[in-house]
Amino acid sequence: MFGYVRARKDTMPEGAWENYEAVYCGLCHTLKEQYGQRARLFLNYDFALLAMLLAPADAMRVSDCRRCFLHPVHGKPACTGGSWLEFVAAESMVLTYWKLQDAVADEKGPSQLGGRGLRLWLKRAYERARAVCPAFDEQVSTRLKELRELEQAGCASLDRVADHFACILRSAAPETGETGRDRAMGELLYHLGRWIYLIDAVDDLAEDSRQGRYNPVAVRFPKWSQEDREYLRRSMDHSLALAGAAFQLLADNAWTPVTENILYDGLPSVEELVFSGKWKEQQKKHRREHP
């Protein structure tokens, strides 16, 4: 995923932010234990949301205090030891590998060589990860191939291209046999995936234009007027509303207050920052303050 799935700290219930960071830290430690130190470099908060959604109802919010190179002395609370964390870690490796594969095809010169190096660097970790989630691996590889074909053809339909990434994210939740739960989780992840694909396209408009790369928003809205922006935001907000409605059908777990915050406060805030052109600057500021 792309790093747009964030919580909003100032509207979090008391204690919820610590639980949010604990699952993120737990996923980071799980990546290191399962796939090596380098795997941690590709972690973002998008996968933390997936981990919270897939966590069983009886999963503990914090089970350990772990040290790392960022917290070497006192350590930091982290969720550990859950098979659900191991499964999400595997999916993150699979998606990262295939996204790198996709990026290599887009780049040229030194950037392409760098992408190939990263892909080779992660090959062994990817091979271990795909053994954990083979069905997800197949969906990712197939859907990204079909998406690339649409992009190369200059597809002007936002829904056709966004559908492929939405289907990838929907497949990240394995079926449990509980029809109602599986349908609700699938709908939530599908509409979240659609929103992620489109917000990424809006965020990359200027850079894609400079690089001469395909961008579905630029093809669909060549003038990119205020009316176009409002139209697209209504469509994206509808996806967020459908994701939120599906979430209400899922059973509560330890992270329900956090996931509610992400879906109802965090994502709309990120959308506003991206459309106003402030998202990239805020991310730079965050990296300076949290190196």
Side-chain angles (χ1 to χ4, degrees):
M1 292 187 269
F2 303 86
Y4 300 105
V5 180
R6 299 294 183 87
R8 182 170 169 174
K9 190 173 183 179
D10 62 331
T11 62
M12 276 274 200
E14 184 177 355
W17 186 262
E18 290 74 17
N19 295 334
Y20 180 40
E21 293 198 321
V23 77
Y24 180 86
C25 291
L27 191 54
C28 185
H29 283 288
T30 302
L31 281 166
K32 177 193 173 186
E33 291 160 5
Q34 298 293 320
Y35 305 107
Q37 190 76 260
R38 68 189 66 173
R40 302 169 110 170
L41 298 174
F42 301 95
L43 177 63
N44 61 51
Y45 278 99
D46 297 9
F47 291 108
L49 173 63
L50 184 59
M52 290 185 286
L53 288 171
L54 297 186
D58 59 351
M60 295 178 63
R61 287 173 291 186
V62 178
S63 59
D64 203 355
C65 192
R66 305 288 298 275
R67 294 186 181 92
C68 67
F69 65 94
L70 290 177
H71 305 93
V73 180
H74 301 293
K76 196 171 180 182
C79 302
T80 55
S83 59
W84 49 283
L85 280 175
E86 293 175 3
F87 188 79
V88 173
E91 290 190 325
S92 74
M93 282 290 92
V94 165
L95 187 56
T96 297
Y97 179 82
W98 284 111
K99 286 297 294 178
L100 279 172
Q101 181 99 323
D102 196 53
V104 165
D106 281 337
E107 300 295 343
K108 297 178 181 178
S111 295
Q112 189 179 60
L113 290 174
R116 286 177 176 171
L118 281 174
R119 186 183 58 188
L120 183 62
W121 197 40
L122 286 179
K123 185 70 185 297
R124 185 174 294 179
Y126 158 70
E127 289 175 347
R128 291 200 302 271
R130 72 176 178 180
V132 177
C133 51
F136 181 69
D137 176 66
E138 183 177 356
Q139 273 289 311
V140 174
S141 60
T142 300
R143 289 289 183 175
L144 285 183
K145 178 177 181 293
E146 293 170 350
L147 177 58
R148 169 157 291 281
E149 290 171 355
L150 288 175
E151 291 175 343
Q152 289 175 340
C155 181
S157 170
L158 293 177
D159 281 318
R160 285 190 68 194
V161 289
D163 174 71
H164 287 282
F165 188 78
C167 287
I168 286 173
L169 197 53
R170 180 170 59 191
S171 69
E175 292 188 0
T176 65
E178 299 177 25
T179 304
R181 178 266 181 199
D182 291 345
R183 181 177 178 182
M185 185 70 77
E187 287 295 298
L188 191 168
L189 293 176
Y190 180 90
H191 290 290
L192 177 61
R194 180 181 186 273
W195 182 88
I196 289 171
Y197 183 83
L198 293 176
I199 200 70
D200 181 62
V202 174
D203 194 30
D204 287 346
L205 266 174
E207 183 179 350
D208 286 343
S209 176
R210 288 194 299 270
Q211 299 293 332
R213 292 193 295 246
Y214 168 85
N215 185 296
V217 173
V219 175
R220 174 64 178 81
F221 304 109
K223 295 182 179 179
W224 194 228
S225 64
Q226 184 62 30
E227 183 179 355
D228 295 335
R229 295 161 69 89
E230 291 172 358
Y231 174 88
L232 182 57
R233 288 198 68 169
R234 285 196 300 272
S235 176
M236 293 170 64
D237 289 345
H238 184 58
S239 281
L240 289 184
L242 291 172
F247 173 72
Q248 292 299 320
L249 299 175
L250 297 173
D252 290 350
N253 66 15
W255 288 277
T256 294
V258 181
T259 48
E260 285 180 335
N261 176 278
I262 292 171
L263 291 171
Y264 304 132
D265 289 342
L267 299 184
S269 296
V270 169
E271 183 180 306
E272 177 61 32
L273 287 168
V274 170
F275 272 85
S276 64
K278 299 177 182 178
W279 172 250
K280 283 185 167 62
E281 183 56 39
Q282 190 196 68
Q283 294 306 100
K284 291 178 183 177
K285 180 181 178 181
H286 179 80
R287 286 191 288 270
R288 287 196 299 267
E289 294 175 352
H290 304 87

